[in-house]
Amino acid sequence: MEPRTIKLGQRVTVTTRRRKPEPARLSADRIVEVAIGYDAVTMRSVARELGTGPASLYAHVSGRAELDQLVTGKVCAQWRIPDPDPDHWDDQLRTAMTDLLALYRAHPGVARCAMGMIPTEEGVLAVSEKLLAILVAGGVPPQHCAWFVDVASLYVGSVAVEEDIWRERAAGQDVESVTEEAVVAAVHDVFAGLPADRFPLLTAMADTMTTGDADERFAFGVDLLVSGLVALSRR
Amino acid sequence: MEPRTIKLGQRVTVTTRRRKPEPARLSADRIVEVAIGYDAVTMRSVARELGTGPASLYAHVSGRAELDQLVTGKVCAQWRIPDPDPDHWDDQLRTAMTDLLALYRAHPGVARCAMGMIPTEEGVLAVSEKLLAILVAGGVPPQHCAWFVDVASLYVGSVAVEEDIWRERAAGQDVESVTEEAVVAAVHDVFAGLPADRFPLLTAMADTMTTGDADERFAFGVDLLVSGLVALSRR
DNA sequence: ACCTGAACACCGTTCAAGT
DNA sequence: ACCTGAACACCGTTCAAGT
């Protein structure tokens, strides 16, 4: 496994981008397309990328809130969820959640848009429907099905948001010190260096605390949720 | 249960606050104190509340990142976690997580500060230590103990962040339409009103999808995680 | 050492004006 | 109907200047 660099999105600060002075020919679709293509989803950066000022976007999109909706809708539409297979519903959930994380990773900044969103967009509703189908086919109690969709989405989203935050923090830092490994090593040293009398477990478990890369840790969380669902259903 | 209003933090926009022209007498402690006392933790709002400009804070705090650390540290220090009781480790975890959510709710905006933070602050480390103690006493495998602390913190934090987002969205809206009940009712109608052929489950399960208040939903997530931990340990 | 005002580079949104 | 520049109210941070 190669050392994944957290670097990215190095804030170009080129204020004089403005490609050509041709009239912009905008549309909601173009705006959303650009928004999911660049790391930081902001009105101004999207407008800049389209060669206009932010005010121009408001003819096609009511504001940041609607852009968030459209962006997550478009990304969710790329989320391939299989038809339910009652014998493997739990594995289907696991891979579905992993796929969503991969999608968020491919579109930095989108997880933040999705956070706290009321699902009304087509694409978002479609994936909820398909997740529900897998859960229902698995024989999970209806109330658990319903709530699990929310909890699972929230968990995947928050992992992605955390990674986005790390990425942003890494941008504008010296590149060598922000590999995932370097950060983990630093945290390890913090734990190991604590006073052992007041932090007996953290010092003793410094290795264990810092074991595993982002994927392993995420997989553990997914395992917890799915295993928990199985356990609750059997009660 | 009374209808909880999501209203709060109504952005006063009083730009001319500036209490007295006395020299400020600042300190990191005063700054943090003020920061956890008001909903939106921003350099400028904290400075305003202290009667100065934002630049003054930089003599005591290196920037937003350190303020985030100090604020979460201070809030975590208020988090009372019991000494481990091996017979009730799972219930201890459940109530600990619920207590943290209550703490975040009492200090809007703090959950956002905590998100993606590398734990180095005293207060944060102390609670990790105590959570670990409960898990270890419960006989949970060390690797699961370590990872669970992270997943649990992330889950509680992300629920709190979502609630903060709703609160902010509610501010600057007409008050009657943003009670938790009103929002849930609106979401219910979205689900129920979908085309039944393409969304058979969402339409049929509209009631189930919108059952439960914030506390019940949170408790379900906590149950998933803790039950999952029990199930994984037994494998 | 500590505080300050002014400035810089951001952010979302509005609004009068253009076509 | 669509696009625009300028403005407003924010944000974090820096920096020269004051005490």
Side-chain angles (χ1 to χ4, degrees):
Chain A
M1 195 166 297
E2 78 230 308
R4 180 140 41 104
T5 310
I6 312 187
K7 191 91 175 79
L8 223 176
Q10 56 263 52
R11 301 242 136 221
V12 201
T13 333
V14 178
T15 329
T16 36
R17 181 66 75 80
R18 204 134 302 183
R19 307 159 165 288
K20 309 136 201 172
E22 54 170 70
R25 281 302 82 206
L26 297 178
S27 74
D29 262 6
R30 279 242 293 161
I31 291 170
V32 175
E33 205 71 51
V34 166
I36 67 176
Y38 299 87
D39 342 309
V41 181
T42 74
M43 290 283 143
R44 294 183 107 98
S45 66
V46 169
R48 208 179 302 134
E49 209 59 43
L50 285 164
T52 25
S56 304
L57 306 183
Y58 286 78
H60 304 91
V61 156
S62 70
R64 179 66 208 252
E66 191 186 340
L67 183 58
D68 282 351
Q69 291 269 2
L70 296 174
V71 162
T72 40
K74 198 113 184 176
V75 167
C76 281
Q78 294 177 237
W79 189 11
R80 309 314 316 171
I81 302 175
D83 289 328
D85 172 0
D87 295 333
H88 303 98
W89 66 276
D90 50 341
D91 277 331
Q92 286 189 308
L93 285 181
R94 269 182 265 261
T95 63
M97 291 172 70
T98 310
D99 290 348
L100 177 58
L101 182 61
L103 223 43
Y104 279 143
R105 283 174 173 165
H107 302 293
V110 172
R112 251 207 196 83
C113 303
M115 187 131 252
M117 197 165 68
I118 313 287
T120 55
E121 195 57 30
E122 172 84 29
V124 184
L125 293 168
V127 300
S128 299
E129 177 75 22
K130 300 211 74 177
L131 282 182
L132 271 182
I134 293 174
L135 287 156
V136 170
V140 177
Q143 189 61 81
H144 292 179
C145 294
W147 285 344
F148 187 85
V149 172
D150 282 355
V151 174
S153 313
L154 179 60
Y155 175 66
V156 180
S158 61
V159 169
V161 169
E162 265 203 324
E163 291 188 4
D164 278 351
I165 292 174
W166 295 333
R167 217 189 324 263
E168 276 166 28
R169 193 171 301 155
Q173 298 251 331
D174 31 323
V175 188
E176 317 92 57
S177 69
V178 293
T179 55
E180 194 179 350
E181 282 162 358
V183 172
V184 169
V187 174
H188 178 278
D189 292 350
V190 169
F191 289 154
L194 291 170
D197 53 332
R198 290 172 43 229
F199 300 98
L201 292 171
L202 278 179
T203 48
M205 293 174 67
D207 284 348
T208 318
M209 289 295 289
T210 50
T211 294
D213 60 12
D215 290 332
E216 287 178 88
R217 286 164 172 272
F218 174 70
F220 174 73
V222 171
D223 259 359
L224 278 186
L225 293 176
V226 176
S227 306
L229 193 59
V230 174
L232 285 189
S233 301
R234 294 219 180 103
R235 259 213 309 243
Chain B
M1 196 164 297
E2 79 231 307
R4 178 138 42 101
T5 310
I6 312 188
K7 190 92 174 78
L8 222 176
Q10 56 265 49
R11 301 243 137 221
V12 202
T13 332
V14 179
T15 329
T16 36
R17 182 66 76 80
R18 203 134 301 182
R19 306 158 166 288
K20 310 136 201 172
E22 48 163 79
R25 279 304 83 205
L26 297 178
S27 72
D29 261 7
R30 279 243 290 161
I31 292 170
V32 175
E33 206 72 51
V34 166
I36 67 177
Y38 299 87
D39 343 309
V41 181
T42 74
M43 291 281 144
R44 294 183 107 97
S45 66
V46 169
R48 209 179 301 133
E49 209 58 44
L50 284 163
T52 25
S56 304
L57 306 183
Y58 286 79
H60 304 91
V61 156
S62 70
R64 179 67 206 253
E66 191 187 340
L67 183 58
D68 283 350
Q69 291 270 1
L70 295 174
V71 162
T72 40
K74 198 115 184 174
V75 166
C76 281
Q78 294 176 238
W79 188 12
R80 310 314 316 172
I81 303 175
D83 289 327
D85 172 359
D87 295 333
H88 304 98
W89 66 275
D90 51 342
D91 277 331
Q92 286 189 309
L93 285 181
R94 269 182 264 261
T95 63
M97 290 171 72
T98 310
D99 290 348
L100 177 58
L101 182 61
L103 223 44
Y104 278 142
R105 283 173 173 168
H107 302 293
V110 173
R112 251 207 196 84
C113 302
M115 187 130 251
M117 198 166 67
I118 314 287
T120 56
E121 195 58 30
E122 172 83 28
V124 184
L125 293 168
V127 300
S128 299
E129 177 74 23
K130 301 211 75 176
L131 282 183
L132 272 181
I134 292 174
L135 287 156
V136 170
V140 177
Q143 189 60 80
H144 292 179
C145 295
W147 285 343
F148 188 85
V149 172
D150 282 355
V151 174
S153 314
L154 179 60
Y155 175 65
V156 180
S158 61
V159 169
V161 169
E162 265 202 325
E163 291 187 4
D164 278 351
I165 292 174
W166 294 334
R167 216 190 324 263
E168 276 166 28
R169 193 171 300 153
Q173 298 250 332
D174 32 323
V175 188
E176 316 93 58
S177 70
V178 293
T179 55
E180 195 179 349
E181 281 162 0
V183 172
V184 169
V187 174
H188 178 278
D189 293 349
V190 170
F191 289 153
L194 290 170
D197 53 330
R198 290 173 43 230
F199 300 98
L201 292 170
L202 279 179
T203 47
M205 294 173 67
D207 285 348
T208 318
M209 289 296 288
T210 50
T211 295
D213 60 11
D215 289 332
E216 285 177 89
R217 285 163 173 273
F218 174 71
F220 174 73
V222 170
D223 258 0
L224 277 187
L225 292 175
V226 176
S227 305
L229 193 60
V230 174
L232 285 189
S233 301
R234 293 220 180 102
R235 256 209 317 240

